[in-house]
Every structure is written in structure tokens, then in C-alpha cells.
Amino acid sequence: MHPAIHPRDTRDDTRLLTVDRDSGALRDLAITDLAQQLRPGDLLIVNDAATLPGSLRARRQGHSESLELRLTGPIDEQLATAALLGAGDWQSPTEHRPAPPVLVPGDRLLLLAPGPEGPVPDDMSQTTVTIEAVDPRTPRLLTIRFDRAGASLWSALYRLGRPVQYSYLRAPLELWAVQTAFAGRPWAAEMPSAGRPLAWSTLLALRQRGVEVASLTHAAGLSSTGDPTLDALLPLPERYDLPAATIAAIARARARGGRVVAAGTTVVRALEGCVAERGGLLAGPGVTALRLHAGFVPRVVDGLLTGMHDPSESHFHLLRAFAREPLLLAAWRHADASGYRQHEFGDATLLISA
């Protein structure tokens, strides 16, 4: 299946493949038909995390080589976790980029500003980060400390950072292109892409249909780094915040016989991780290390709205918690033959029992 190589002009252009988990029936629709595929009384839960400008170019003091730090999630005051990539930029496949140098606690990096010919020294602020810790599992996973906090840090981050992106895209991404219509707190390292096709007009149609819409915030992490050791650790434990209003919406849906549909696996991880790791749905912040797999039985989520992903990708295997692998493969072959597009700006799949 070919990737979508640029953001769509409008969110309504997204195609929707519905997959009946029981009968195996497939239907080719548009995302604007989503309301008609859900029933009055159902509940759709979205991830309202905004996407960070999480790709930061940097240089070790005393060296000329440009490196890349990719934030893995939200910044906690001055601290953040980041994946370290070697020389190159988004136009080079991550797996083809050279290994970065081994850094140690105390090393300092100067953040660079985007420039038309490549990253350049930032004359405005000379922002630096210090390596606070190196993960014992891989030297490419770092805890970093920014040299500033508050408004000064956020100003520097949004001036110097760019969205994380991959080589199948055809042009540099603007930050606005990787936001959902309902984005709020800047927590996500990469866009919670399952929610991107949902325009306000689609959300209004859901409400008019009698489908309730609720939200949570989940810090969607990196999908790939190109390093096998680090990629095997993904997804890393990720932060979430579950509002009491969303827990109440789930209870109302259950009481009226409605289904709970998650817009993306990040929503699934937050909800199911909360239940599995804390014993129930508890309002407030948390961190989940839950990994979805074929044997996982969801206790909260009944259906999943997700993107198109190749069977060789880790994300595809997460979907086995919601449908049998032969059905997923059949749906993939149909989508491939029908010209659907994959990845974060691609088309959508609805996995649900009719």
C-alpha cells in the first residue's frame, strides 16, 4: 500500500474502510459516513493531545556534526526523554542514518535553528540541553534537561523544533498539519493520527446521530527510530490524563447498551492500561506501560477507529487485540487493491462488531 505523502487538503477527503469483526464484511466508505456506522447511544473517545515540535537539531560543543533529538513525550518542567539520532534529516530513512555518538551524563548539546540550507546556530537564545541520564538498555535513549523553564523554554522549543516526520513524506511539515481539530495540551511526540480525519462537521454529525463524544489526553510517543534495540522498547511507558467526565460518559454508554469506540490505540492504551494497572477507571493522571497484543482482551473498548498500517509494522500487530489476524490481513489486501493510503495522513479503518 502506498503511503500518503502529504497532509490532505481537507479532513473530509479521508476514506473509511469498515470491518465487521464478526462477519468479516468489508465496506468502502468515507470518514463523513462514520456517524452512520455508529449507533445512537454509542460513545466515541478521542485523544486531545496536541503534537509537540519534537524534532530538535543539536550539536555537541566543540563538534561540527549535527545530531537530532526526538522527544518521546511531554516536557516535565525542564526535563524530557528523547531518542538520539545520528547525522541526516527526515529525508533519510531512520534505519539508514548513521549511529550517533555515545553521550554520557554531563554532556551538553547546543540546539540549532532550522535554516533553508540546514540547521544553523540559534543567535536568539543559544539554548542548550544537558544529558542527565542514559537509559541502561540503549545509549540512544536519554533524559535531557533544558537550560531554561517556563515561557522561555516553550518559546525556544516552538522556535527551534519541528514536527517529527519520516522519509515517505514529500515536503517539510508545518506544525499545524500534525494537529487534530480538538488538540489541547502539547503532550504528543507524534500526532495521535487516528483522530486527524475527524473534522468538526463529522463530530457534529455524530452528536446529531446520538453518539456521545468524549476525550482524554494521552502522550502518544514515537513510532520508530530506525534502531532495532530502541524500537523493540516501543511503545515506552506513556503519560495520560483521564477526565472524570469521560469515565461518566463510559458509564452512561454502558447503561444504555451503547458501544465504546476508541479513536486510536493511544486511547485504548490509556483506558485499558488504567483498568489493568490500577484496577479500574480512575480519574486523573497516570502512566501506562500496557502493550496490546493478540491475546489481550479489552475490558472497556468495543471498537477501534485507526489508520492504515502495513502488516510488517508493529502497529498492525496491536490491532490483533480487536480482530483476528486473517481478517486483518484480508482487510489489508482489500485496502491495498482499492487504492487506500497508509500512515498518519492516510485513510481510516473502523473495526467494530455490527
Side-chain angles (χ1 to χ4, degrees):
M1 185 182 299
H2 296 295
I5 60 175
H6 51 72
R8 297 176 185 272
D9 292 335
T10 68
R11 300 174 196 270
D12 289 347
D13 289 342
T14 306
R15 299 175 68 187
L16 175 67
L17 175 64
T18 64
V19 182
D20 189 311
R21 297 165 55 191
D22 296 329
S23 69
L26 308 176
R27 295 186 66 194
D28 296 309
L29 301 168
I31 195 66
T32 50
D33 298 315
L34 177 63
Q36 297 306 311
Q37 304 313 301
L38 300 182
R39 298 193 294 251
D42 285 346
L43 170 66
L44 178 70
I45 303 179
V46 302
N47 180 1
D48 66 7
T51 307
L52 289 156
S55 171
L56 297 165
R57 304 310 298 265
R59 188 173 66 199
R60 288 186 293 169
Q61 293 185 337
H63 294 76
S64 59
E65 180 185 22
S66 173
L67 307 172
E68 183 182 3
L69 291 168
R70 292 189 174 183
L71 301 182
T72 67
I75 297 173
D76 187 5
E77 295 185 353
Q78 291 175 262
L79 292 175
T81 302
L84 180 65
L85 280 69
D89 59 21
W90 64 270
Q91 298 177 84
S92 302
T94 52
E95 63 273 18
H96 295 166
R97 290 170 66 168
V102 175
L103 303 181
V104 298
D107 282 348
R108 294 179 67 193
L109 300 175
L110 173 68
L111 299 187
L112 305 175
E117 304 299 328
V120 297
D122 174 35
D123 294 331
M124 292 185 64
S125 63
Q126 295 291 298
T127 305
T128 64
V129 299
T130 300
I131 309 305
E132 290 284 304
V134 179
D135 193 291
R137 298 168 294 179
T138 169
R140 295 180 60 168
L141 188 60
L142 309 171
T143 300
I144 60 174
R145 178 182 294 275
F146 290 90
D147 67 352
R148 64 202 60 213
S152 178
L153 169 56
W154 287 103
S155 176
L157 181 69
Y158 276 82
R159 186 177 69 256
L160 303 177
R162 299 194 63 87
V164 170
Q165 69 176 100
Y166 295 93
S167 60
Y168 50 77
L169 296 167
R170 289 296 178 263
L173 289 174
E174 299 295 337
L175 189 58
W176 63 264
V178 292
Q179 308 298 345
T180 60
F182 36 80
R185 285 176 285 184
W187 274 24
E190 293 184 15
M191 175 176 57
S193 55
R196 192 182 190 278
L198 299 174
W200 283 110
S201 55
T202 299
L203 298 175
L204 178 59
L206 288 165
R207 292 286 182 88
Q208 292 172 335
R209 171 78 167 162
V211 176
E212 195 169 357
V213 179
S215 67
L216 55 80
T217 310
H218 181 104
L222 298 176
S223 57
S224 175
T225 66
D227 177 65
T229 302
L230 181 48
D231 285 348
L233 302 176
L234 302 179
L236 299 168
E238 292 167 349
R239 188 187 306 181
Y240 65 86
D241 193 0
L242 181 55
T246 297
I247 296 175
I250 293 171
R252 289 194 297 272
R254 292 286 184 241
R256 59 183 177 247
R259 300 168 297 182
V260 176
V261 180
T265 55
T266 59
V267 173
V268 178
R269 290 191 76 215
L271 294 172
E272 300 293 346
C274 187
V275 170
E277 297 159 355
R278 303 176 69 187
L281 291 175
L282 303 178
V287 175
T288 181
L290 178 69
R291 292 190 173 205
L292 303 176
H293 53 82
F296 181 81
V297 179
R299 296 165 62 183
V300 181
V301 178
D302 303 303
L304 177 64
L305 178 69
T306 186
M308 297 279 175
H309 297 275
D310 190 279
S312 65
E313 296 177 358
S314 60
H315 189 96
F316 181 89
H317 298 288
L318 305 182
L319 304 183
R320 295 181 298 172
F322 287 90
R324 304 179 310 277
E325 186 161 356
L327 176 56
L328 292 173
L329 290 171
W332 167 262
R333 288 190 290 267
H334 171 84
D336 188 19
S338 302
Y340 283 77
R341 293 291 182 263
Q342 64 175 330
H343 295 319
E344 67 268 40
F345 299 114
D347 295 307
T349 305
L350 177 65
L351 297 167
I352 199 165
S353 298

